Amino acid sequence: MKLALLTALAGSAAAFAPAPVSKASTSLNLNPEAALGENWDPMGFSKMHEIKGAFPNMFPHPQFLEEAEIKHGRMSMLAWTGVWATSSGLHFPGAPVADDWTNALSVWAREDPGGFGIILAFIMIAEGEGVSHAGDNFRGLSKKVPGDMGFNWMGHGEATVEKYKA
């Protein structure tokens, strides 16, 4: 009994000991590129643009695939935030409200076609600007870093960006 009490006391005291300071890492700490020595691409999508005998520029360059992956990830985060916000009861004043988020888009388009059109026009302009800013990354000729839209609204310079890169 005394031994169990002593070990419980020691275990609870260890919870308040200062943690060692180390560089943060992911919980899984997976790095397939380091293990394989190359990019992890089991389906070979990054090599499709090298297929001989196909039409020219039929398959995208990995630069385009990386840009598309980053963009779609950002869109899915925005979509999840929208679903969460409306499910929590947050709505724009005067906007139509649907009972279920799965049919909210059609309800909004039916009840407020002007507002719906404005949002669609904004999305089209943003998509067009994103494609034009990306350069010709479908053929791998773009000079920009995938995912960097050049939108530096906080005014951080390159020195600040380099400071926080791991």
Side-chain angles (χ1 to χ4, degrees):
M1 179 68 178
K2 289 182 183 180
L3 181 62
L5 185 60
L6 187 60
T7 56
L9 182 62
S12 64
F16 296 103
V21 178
S22 65
K23 186 178 177 186
S25 65
T26 61
S27 60
L28 296 177
N29 206 12
L30 294 176
N31 190 355
E33 284 84 9
L36 300 173
E38 60 185 33
N39 288 338
W40 186 71
D41 185 15
M43 299 295 287
F45 291 130
S46 65
K47 294 178 180 57
M48 286 180 12
H49 72 286
E50 299 170 358
I51 295 174
K52 302 295 182 210
F55 291 114
N57 303 321
M58 183 174 181
F59 298 112
H61 193 271
Q63 209 175 36
F64 176 81
L65 296 174
E66 187 176 356
E67 181 84 28
E69 182 179 6
I70 292 169
K71 181 180 74 171
H72 292 133
R74 289 174 177 168
M75 288 289 118
S76 64
M77 288 186 279
L78 282 172
W80 181 88
T81 303
V83 169
W84 171 81
T86 54
S87 296
S88 299
L90 299 172
H91 301 283
F92 289 115
V97 178
D99 295 333
D100 185 16
W101 71 269
T102 58
N103 64 0
L105 187 66
S106 61
V107 168
W108 183 31
R110 184 176 58 248
E111 293 184 14
D112 185 16
F116 185 71
I118 290 170
I119 296 297
L120 280 182
F122 174 75
I123 291 170
M124 287 187 284
I125 291 169
E127 182 71 16
E129 285 295 314
V131 170
S132 68
H133 182 72
D136 193 5
N137 63 5
F138 195 87
R139 293 186 296 163
L141 301 175
S142 180
K143 304 266 189 284
K144 74 178 240 10
V145 177
D148 180 18
M149 296 297 290
F151 184 64
N152 190 4
W153 64 279
M154 300 229 6
H156 294 301
E158 280 299 315
T160 308
V161 171
E162 292 298 323
K163 177 180 164 186
Y164 290 107
K165 281 188 177 176

